[in-house]
Amino acid sequence: MTTHDDAGGPGADPPLPHLPEDWDRALAVAAHPDDIEYGTASAVARWTARGKEVTYLLATRGEAGIDGLHPDRAGPLREAEERAGARAVGVDTVEFLDHRDGAVEYGPALRRDLVRAVRRHRPQVVLTGAYTVRMVGGIVNQADHRAVGLAALDAARDAGNRWIFPELADEGLQPWDGVRLVCFAGAERPTHGVDVTGEPLERGIASLAAHAEYTKGLGAGAFDPGRFLTWAAHRAGPALGVRAAVLFDVFPLTLDGPPPWEQ
């Protein structure tokens, strides 16, 4: 069976569709500082340049992410790097939930926090990371990523139901059922893509480069952000029929057009 890695060759699959861009607001939900920067930030750069509003929401401050640095020091450092990385792609609002890095638990507490954010920011699109055990390339996904990705999917739907977490109404947060798409980066089987050729990719590289202390903490042999993101985007590009792309597995929460039984 031919895969999108072979796009362009004899018998190759047709290009994936472009992710719809007929929306105004997106909420990017991640477990740790730097998660969004491994590709999604390049797409964010494209969208903010076109006037779309994107907000970042981090479940943790990444305090357990640097082996040689105590969490009390690593957390504030990584928070600052995340804010700098966000600015590089036109994102002004970055929020942190203070769940414990490395021990994020899927459950009502996390879902409630995410529903609160969805109701407050009222996005039409939620961006997050794959919640599957395997990610693109077959590598094992990290536990926090899995918990946050699945919670983001559920929260996008929960946010529209006034009887799920009704206590949020006491905070003045009314239901929001306007999320149309939940988009998962790093998925094994993407369904859509975003063209990030040129400036969006360059700004995405600058966003990941803002995490200098974190990447330095990975030790000898740590990758170069420019080389890594360029390789990844160029490898994904043929699946979309472009030079450089970021790919997503897109879950629609609303029907586009009449239901099948009325067509």
Side-chain angles (χ1 to χ4, degrees):
M1 177 179 177
T2 303
T3 68
H4 284 292
D5 288 341
D6 306 311
D13 292 338
L16 294 173
H18 289 254
L19 197 154
E21 295 185 331
D22 56 341
W23 48 269
D24 300 311
R25 298 181 304 281
L27 178 67
V29 180
H32 316 107
D34 87 300
D35 287 352
I36 298 169
E37 284 69 35
Y38 283 94
T40 297
S42 297
V44 170
R46 171 189 171 94
W47 294 325
T48 58
R50 286 161 171 74
K52 299 183 188 299
E53 179 184 341
V54 182
T55 298
Y56 283 6
L57 179 69
L58 287 298
T60 80
R61 297 179 190 267
E63 67 273 10
I66 302 177
D67 183 67
L69 200 61
H70 191 278
D72 289 348
R73 295 179 56 201
L77 178 97
R78 298 199 68 198
E79 177 184 345
E81 290 187 334
E82 181 62 24
R83 295 187 187 281
R87 286 193 297 270
V89 292
V91 173
D92 296 323
T93 302
V94 181
E95 299 175 352
F96 296 84
L97 294 176
D98 285 325
H99 288 260
R100 181 184 170 196
D101 186 12
V104 178
E105 295 184 7
Y106 176 88
L110 179 60
R111 284 171 53 206
R112 183 186 298 107
D113 283 345
L114 298 186
V115 168
R116 180 182 287 111
V118 171
R119 289 190 180 185
R120 187 152 42 85
H121 295 292
R122 302 171 76 83
Q124 293 114 349
V125 172
V126 170
L127 309 164
T128 189
Y131 61 84
T132 50
V133 174
R134 293 183 186 271
M135 298 177 65
V136 62
I139 62 174
V140 175
N141 202 356
Q142 196 264 353
D144 289 352
H145 298 167
R146 303 198 306 267
V148 171
L150 183 57
L153 176 62
D154 291 338
R157 185 185 296 276
D158 293 343
N161 188 329
R162 70 178 63 254
W163 306 120
I164 299 177
F165 309 123
E167 63 272 20
L168 295 179
D170 296 335
E171 301 176 19
L173 298 172
Q174 296 304 312
W176 171 249
D177 63 358
V179 178
R180 293 166 43 204
L181 306 172
V182 182
C183 308
F184 294 91
E188 274 196 289
R189 298 183 181 276
T191 61
H192 294 70
V194 179
D195 184 356
V196 297
T197 305
E199 184 178 354
L201 176 57
E202 293 304 313
R203 292 176 66 195
I205 290 169
S207 184
L208 182 55
H211 294 266
E213 290 300 318
Y214 172 71
T215 54
K216 184 170 67 175
L218 296 176
F223 65 88
D224 173 80
R227 291 182 61 188
F228 172 77
L229 287 181
T230 299
W231 169 81
H234 287 180
R235 187 171 184 269
L240 195 63
V242 300
R243 174 65 172 161
V246 176
L247 306 181
F248 294 91
D249 186 8
V250 177
F251 286 39
L253 295 190
T254 59
L255 288 172
D256 186 9
W261 56 89
E262 293 184 2
Q263 295 179 12

